[in-house]
Amino acid sequence: MSKIQIICTQPGIRRNGMQHPAEAIYDKARWSEKELEAFRADRAFVVLEVGSDGVKATDEAIDAEVQRLVGLKIVDLQAGFDKAVKDAAAELADDIGVKLRTALERVQELEGQLSTANSKADNTIDDLGKKLAAAGDTIADLQKQLEAATAGQSNEAGKPAAKK
């Protein structure tokens, strides 16, 4: 009669209605095929057939079990890696979003300051233009007065003085 050896990589856990030691050998009839498949699907268990002369594990069976366990580990590692990358990308995206919002707020603040400065500059230019125009008018008036004063002096200088 053949037997089944069940190796539990986490001794003490419960599966299929019982707590399992690190290793135990059972009559093959003890477990249904569905229960054996459940053990095989669980990463914490290794199921081996045992004959009357001991474990019947061939190199191929051992290689297959090792490949199965390595495959499960690869899946776990890839899932962990994918999650770590996703979490890091999300965190980085959040950080970039915060920095972008801060930069946009600063740009808006600077745009407001620039607009205020442009308005003040426009007002100053307008005021200076008005002052320049007024100064030009004053210069024109002064030139007229100078011409009038100069013209009056040359008329008086060029004419003989009136006799009394």
Side-chain angles (χ1 to χ4, degrees):
M1 171 180 235
S2 65
K3 297 190 179 268
I4 298 291
Q5 180 180 22
I6 297 180
I7 300 169
C8 179
T9 61
Q10 298 172 17
I13 63 173
R14 295 185 64 82
R15 293 293 182 273
N16 289 330
M18 67 178 281
Q19 187 173 3
H20 292 276
E23 176 275 328
I25 296 178
Y26 304 96
D27 287 334
K28 191 170 186 177
R30 165 69 177 87
W31 305 105
S32 70
E33 193 55 41
K34 184 177 178 182
E35 289 171 322
L36 289 173
E37 285 305 314
F39 279 125
R40 288 183 185 107
D42 192 324
R43 298 168 193 212
F45 293 94
V46 176
V47 178
L48 300 172
E49 286 194 33
V50 179
S52 57
D53 55 346
V55 177
K56 291 184 181 178
T58 63
D59 286 344
E60 292 82 21
I62 292 171
D63 285 346
E65 186 60 23
V66 167
Q67 289 303 317
R68 181 183 78 85
L69 293 174
V70 167
L72 293 173
K73 193 63 175 174
I74 288 171
V75 168
D76 285 347
L77 290 172
Q78 186 65 51
F81 177 78
D82 291 346
K83 183 181 181 322
V85 168
K86 181 180 177 185
D87 291 348
E91 186 176 327
L92 183 59
D94 289 345
D95 289 347
I96 290 171
V98 167
K99 288 177 182 176
L100 182 59
R101 282 188 292 280
T102 301
L104 288 173
E105 288 169 1
R106 182 67 179 137
V107 165
Q108 289 173 340
E109 179 184 324
L110 291 172
E111 285 175 340
Q113 290 175 0
L114 180 60
S115 176
T116 300
N118 282 339
S119 293
K120 286 181 180 179
D122 287 345
N123 291 340
T124 301
I125 289 170
D126 288 345
D127 290 344
L128 290 174
K130 290 174 185 174
K131 287 179 182 178
L132 182 60
D137 291 344
T138 301
I139 290 171
D141 287 345
L142 289 173
Q143 282 178 338
K144 286 179 188 176
Q145 290 174 10
L146 179 62
E147 288 173 6
T150 305
Q153 286 177 353
S154 58
N155 280 345
E156 289 178 14
K159 289 184 183 178
K163 294 186 182 182
K164 293 188 184 179

